[in-house]
Amino acid sequence: MHHAQRRATAMSDALAREMLPADYPIIGMVDLDTLDELFRAAEAAFDSPSPVTHAVAAKAVTLVPMMRHLAELGAGCEVASPGELRMAQLAGFTPDRIVFDSPAKTRHDIDTALDLGVAMNLDNFTELSRIDEHLAGATPKGRIGVRINPQLGAGKIEEMSTATPTSKFGIPLRDEGSRQAIIDAYAARPWLNQIHVHSGSQGMALSSMAAGVRAVVDLVADIHATIGHQQITHIDIGGGLPVNFDSDAHTPSFADYRAALEAEVPELFDGTYGIITEFGRSLLAKSGTMLTRVEATKVVGGRPIAVCHAGAQVAARTIFMPKAWPLRVSVLDPAGEEREDDVCVQDVAGPCCFSGDIIAHQRSLPLIREGDVIAIHDVGAYYFSNSFSYNALPRPAVYGYREKDGAVAWVTLRRQQTIDEVVAEAGGDVDSSW
Ligand SMILES: *Cc1c(COP(=O)(O)O)cnc(C)c1O
């Protein structure tokens, strides 16, 4: 089955099995076959004579069973906090497959990472001196790199751009004296054997991403010229490949990105360096869908509004920045058949108590009726991990599906949060008598 057909089969099947809870009708679904296909596509596109590790960005997944599946496929994992690190370990990623990238590492984080032997990319010179203190002359078990900000321009979404002249990430390359300071840091530490750049993000052109990698590979050449031999063994090019949220097409593809890199930085693939990628959105977005029941419909000031259960609690970015993060939605009848008739301009509203809680603004859609189901597409990255506890709404369940004998088979990836858990999270489990 093709991706869209498998999704249609899964949506009808989920409704036939009454997987949408009556008291909180919203669930997430992940197409595990699509996830596998995209992971294999990344592997094929980045084929190189040297080892390549696709360290999936944990913040885009954060569902341990999915991380476990990715570990089994041969992925690595990029983590940025003690919680993500713990999840990666639980999922079965061995330390040599974990990259610890937190932008604000405590001494405790650094000690933990060094003791475990995970690879680590440093954000600033303070972190470098903390490592010096911890090591006291010893050699670290895992690879250690420095995150470089090549200080390029911003992409189409300013808030998401990671490599601007004043971005908060990494050590700047173009500021006065900075390049020399980086070279000196490597020359003084024979164990600094990795370098990191993550200059892509949603809204970023492939050529700009490749330019970021180009700048870092030039820096590596300068470092090696100064030291007199090759010290850096691994180049971590980060993630940030954008996703097309307008259709089912996976564009730009991993092969497109490989071609852009090949054109700009051919030596990246000549076998000299191990390559690490940290894809998140591009690996995961296309595999996810949310389903939610339409509770009621009404017309307000001439505008038809359908009220459903997907709002800021599951789609904070889309709700707060609707122009930057629009999502495709489709309208299904109660049996899961896609509606096509009576197209008119409608709002699809969520369950949160503020007026901006609209998942689709003024969208031309088939007329939505009470009891219909709204499918929200391309939510496999970040949407299931970035919950927002507004109005004490629970995190919905997420199920994985696979094609099996012409139908789909299901697995639970996360159960729905209970009301008791929501209350406990709000301090309901604290003894506050004084
Ligand atoms: C968020 C992040 C990623 C993943 O980015 P995507 O845009 O989801 O591919 C990779 N590396 C670092 C350091 C990140 O912060």
Side-chain angles (χ1 to χ4, degrees):
M1 271 186 234
H2 180 259
H3 168 74
Q5 193 193 345
R6 194 161 52 232
R7 180 180 59 212
T9 307
M11 293 192 300
S12 313
D13 193 58
L15 296 172
R17 290 170 189 266
E18 300 184 4
M19 286 165 67
L20 270 185
D23 57 346
Y24 187 49
I26 175 165
I27 57 168
M29 317 183 349
V30 177
D31 180 342
L32 296 170
D33 290 323
T34 293
L35 177 65
D36 290 1
E37 280 164 26
L38 289 176
F39 185 77
R40 297 289 178 226
E43 279 192 322
F46 278 76
D47 184 41
S48 168
S50 52
V52 181
T53 303
H54 295 291
V56 183
K59 71 175 183 288
V61 201
T62 52
L63 296 178
V64 174
M66 248 167 101
M67 291 167 85
R68 190 171 290 131
H69 178 65
L70 286 159
E72 283 162 6
L73 287 181
C77 192
E78 185 269 345
V79 300
S81 70
E84 288 181 358
L85 175 59
R86 183 79 68 84
M87 288 191 283
Q89 289 178 285
L90 185 62
F93 290 100
T94 48
D96 57 307
R97 302 214 137 243
I98 296 176
V99 184
F100 186 67
D101 274 355
S102 162
K105 300 179 190 72
T106 62
R107 283 179 200 280
H108 184 263
D109 291 339
I110 288 177
D111 293 347
T112 307
L114 288 171
D115 290 344
L116 277 171
V118 299
M120 182 160 35
N121 289 314
L122 308 180
D123 180 78
N124 51 61
F125 286 116
T126 306
E127 293 182 353
L128 194 55
S129 62
R130 289 181 179 183
I131 298 218
D132 289 339
E133 281 171 33
H134 176 111
L135 291 175
T139 302
K141 280 187 273 181
R143 291 187 313 273
I144 312 284
V146 171
R147 177 166 181 174
I148 304 295
N149 172 5
Q151 295 179 294
L152 308 165
K156 285 192 198 121
I157 311 177
E158 179 73 37
E159 289 80 355
M160 297 298 293
S161 297
T162 52
T164 60
T166 55
S167 160
K168 73 165 189 159
F169 295 117
I171 297 181
L173 188 56
R174 293 175 206 274
D175 286 2
E176 182 80 41
S178 200
R179 187 182 189 91
Q180 194 55 48
I182 297 165
I183 294 172
D184 293 346
Y186 275 87
R189 295 172 184 80
W191 44 262
L192 266 183
N193 54 3
Q194 177 162 301
I195 201 154
H196 179 215
V197 58
H198 169 69
S199 61
S201 58
Q202 187 65 18
M204 192 54 100
L206 293 188
S207 55
S208 312
M209 294 173 63
V213 178
R214 175 74 263 163
V216 163
V217 169
D218 286 341
L219 173 64
V220 168
D222 280 2
I223 292 170
H224 288 162
T226 301
I227 299 175
H229 64 267
Q230 181 182 348
Q231 174 173 313
I232 294 169
T233 58
H234 286 73
I235 299 185
D236 181 340
I237 63 168
L241 185 61
V243 164
N244 167 6
F245 285 97
D246 296 333
S247 80
D248 276 331
H250 189 254
T251 52
S253 67
F254 293 110
D256 294 335
Y257 186 29
R258 163 75 186 246
L261 285 169
E262 195 89 56
E264 188 76 23
V265 206
E267 65 268 51
L268 185 62
F269 299 101
D270 71 6
T272 309
Y273 305 105
I275 300 171
I276 296 150
T277 75
E278 302 173 344
F279 296 122
R281 184 171 293 112
S282 51
L283 267 178
L284 296 153
K286 290 290 169 192
S287 61
T289 309
M290 262 185 276
L291 284 190
T292 176
R293 179 90 57 200
V294 174
E295 212 54 66
T297 62
K298 55 187 173 179
V299 178
V300 179
R303 174 177 301 189
I305 301 178
V307 182
C308 69
H309 292 271
Q313 92 279 25
V314 290
R317 267 192 189 147
T318 295
I319 298 293
F320 292 116
M321 297 176 70
K323 292 205 170 66
W325 298 103
L327 288 171
R328 286 185 298 146
V329 302
S330 358
V331 182
L332 314 180
D333 70 16
E337 282 303 310
E338 188 154 351
R339 288 196 189 278
E340 282 164 7
D341 301 335
D342 306 329
V343 172
C344 61
V345 174
Q346 299 164 78
D347 276 358
V348 182
C352 296
C353 301
F354 67 98
S355 56
D357 194 46
I358 305 285
I359 193 87
H361 285 268
Q362 295 291 280
R363 205 70 74 80
S364 284
L365 293 168
L367 183 67
I368 305 170
R369 297 154 175 95
E370 176 194 339
D372 279 358
V373 171
I374 303 292
I376 305 163
H377 301 293
D378 309 325
V379 293
Y382 295 97
Y383 286 89
F384 301 142
S385 50
N386 294 5
S387 352
F388 181 42
S389 45
Y390 202 90
N391 282 139
L393 289 163
R395 286 190 267 284
V398 181
Y399 302 99
Y401 61 94
R402 265 189 200 292
E403 183 178 342
K404 203 176 173 197
D405 307 327
V408 290
W410 295 93
V411 59
T412 300
L413 299 176
R414 177 177 75 189
R415 58 176 177 73
Q416 185 185 310
Q417 203 177 21
T418 65
I419 297 295
D420 283 347
E421 285 166 338
V422 170
V423 171
E425 207 174 63
D429 58 352
V430 168
D431 176 6
S432 57
S433 44
W434 62 71

